[in-house]
Amino acid sequence: MRRTGEQLLLVSAAVYGVSTTVSVVALRVVRPVDLLAVEITGAAAMLMTSAAARGRLRRRGALRQMLLGALVPGLAFLFGDLGLARTSASSGSLLLAAEPLLSVLLAVVVLRERLSRGAAIALIAGLAGSGLVALGSGTSGDDTTLGNTLVLLAVLAAAVFLIATRRFNGNGAGLNESAWQSTGGALSVVPFVAASWSTGGTRLDTVGVAGWAACIAVVLCGAAGSVTFNQGIARVPAARAAQLGNLTPVVGTLTAVLFLGDRPALLQLAGGAAILAGLALLLYEQDKPAFTDRPHRPVSERSMS
């Protein structure tokens, strides 16, 4: 069961990596608020319809899932779209590597999963690398400190989301949980979208076929990533799940370099190397093992015992 969960999380991580690059493409023709509205409402409509049609939509726990959805896709997508509009796809992808590190840190503090000295050193190295990526805009005019900071805020929201879903979700009902989470995310960003459209308007009415194709691709990536993540997280310890998220920045950076021609600055590459080195050390430490998995039951099960 754990192996299946890890495979699902790897698929989710890869899909989110592709989504980062596709989002940058979409943001070349639409405003961040436009993409935010399309990707969240589109995913919510698709997942709710699919869950209802398959008889998998459950009201029990819906409010909790909607509150989780305020983190992801809500705040994470909001900060992510605003940040990616101000930075390059490669920088955004490299910064996503900070999410597993933050998630491991939260797993230790909140879920009390044990961390070895070597893994602690890896965390420090990885977080320092995140700082280099965020500040090392180099010669690329697309990179800004503000954009990188917004991406890091999205990463923080995603890290908190991972820990929360590991703590509260335990049945692996990916479609049902993703449907309610996407709905909660959509509702949480409505005020921002309304305010932004009332003051700055929208570009959705002038987007061509290519622009809409990019937006729809982001919607599909978000829905697929969410479902596979929720199916996998119930089967894998939080620290291990965080490490598997290392695939996201790798896929995101590779697709940005191959398809968008991005060229990260030297300082950013150094920061990215530090991040990946920290993640590799975390993986090595867990295999020793660095983490001691503790039996964990969802809150709903503990309350019944």
Side-chain angles (χ1 to χ4, degrees):
M1 180 177 291
R2 174 166 170 169
R3 181 177 296 274
T4 300
E6 291 181 346
Q7 292 172 347
L8 288 167
L9 289 175
L10 283 173
V11 171
S12 176
V15 169
Y16 279 132
V18 174
S19 179
T20 301
T21 300
V22 178
S23 294
V24 171
V25 175
L27 288 168
R28 292 176 176 176
V29 293
V30 299
R31 298 179 62 208
V33 66
D34 296 334
L35 180 60
L36 178 68
V38 170
E39 64 181 331
I40 290 189
T41 58
M46 183 170 62
L47 291 171
M48 288 294 286
T49 301
S50 179
R54 297 184 181 186
R56 298 183 183 179
L57 194 62
R58 300 289 183 269
R59 292 184 180 181
R60 184 177 181 180
L63 178 59
R64 183 174 65 203
Q65 297 304 324
M66 291 175 70
L67 290 175
L68 290 173
L71 288 172
V72 176
L75 289 177
F77 282 25
L78 171 60
F79 289 135
D81 288 344
L82 290 174
L84 290 175
R86 293 167 173 81
T87 190
S88 67
S90 57
S91 294
S93 297
L94 287 171
L95 287 170
L96 291 177
E99 180 187 337
L101 297 167
L102 290 173
S103 298
V104 170
L105 184 61
L106 290 174
V108 172
V109 175
V110 178
L111 301 181
R112 298 181 180 179
E113 295 181 7
R114 295 178 181 176
L115 188 64
S116 72
R117 180 179 298 178
I121 295 174
L123 279 176
I124 295 173
L127 292 174
S130 299
L132 290 177
V133 173
L135 298 176
S137 58
T139 59
S140 176
D142 293 331
D143 290 298
T144 67
T145 300
L146 175 60
N148 291 332
T149 301
L150 288 168
V151 173
L152 282 176
L153 288 175
V155 165
L156 177 60
V160 174
F161 173 80
L162 185 149
I163 299 303
T165 51
R166 180 68 183 104
R167 182 177 180 83
F168 294 109
N169 293 356
N171 56 10
L175 184 57
N176 173 68
E177 293 167 349
S178 296
W180 288 115
Q181 287 167 11
S182 61
T183 300
L187 293 175
S188 68
V189 300
V190 164
F192 173 81
V193 172
S196 182
W197 276 350
S198 66
T199 57
T202 178
R203 295 179 188 169
L204 290 175
D205 53 349
T206 61
V207 174
V209 175
W212 273 110
C215 290
I216 293 173
V218 174
V219 172
L220 295 176
C221 285
S226 176
V227 172
T228 50
F229 173 84
N230 279 304
Q231 288 176 336
I233 191 62
R235 301 174 171 90
V236 180
R240 179 64 173 173
Q243 292 177 353
L244 296 175
N246 179 31
L247 189 60
T248 293
V250 173
V251 172
T253 302
L254 286 177
T255 53
V257 170
L258 292 175
F259 298 107
L260 301 183
D262 276 12
R263 294 294 182 268
L266 181 60
L267 190 60
Q268 292 176 304
L269 289 175
I275 293 171
L276 296 179
L279 288 167
L281 180 56
L282 280 174
L283 183 60
Y284 171 76
E285 287 294 318
Q286 180 168 341
D287 288 340
K288 290 175 58 175
F291 299 95
T292 300
D293 295 342
R294 296 184 176 184
H296 178 75
R297 292 180 297 165
V299 170
S300 58
E301 293 183 16
R302 293 200 301 269
S303 63
M304 296 173 62
S305 59

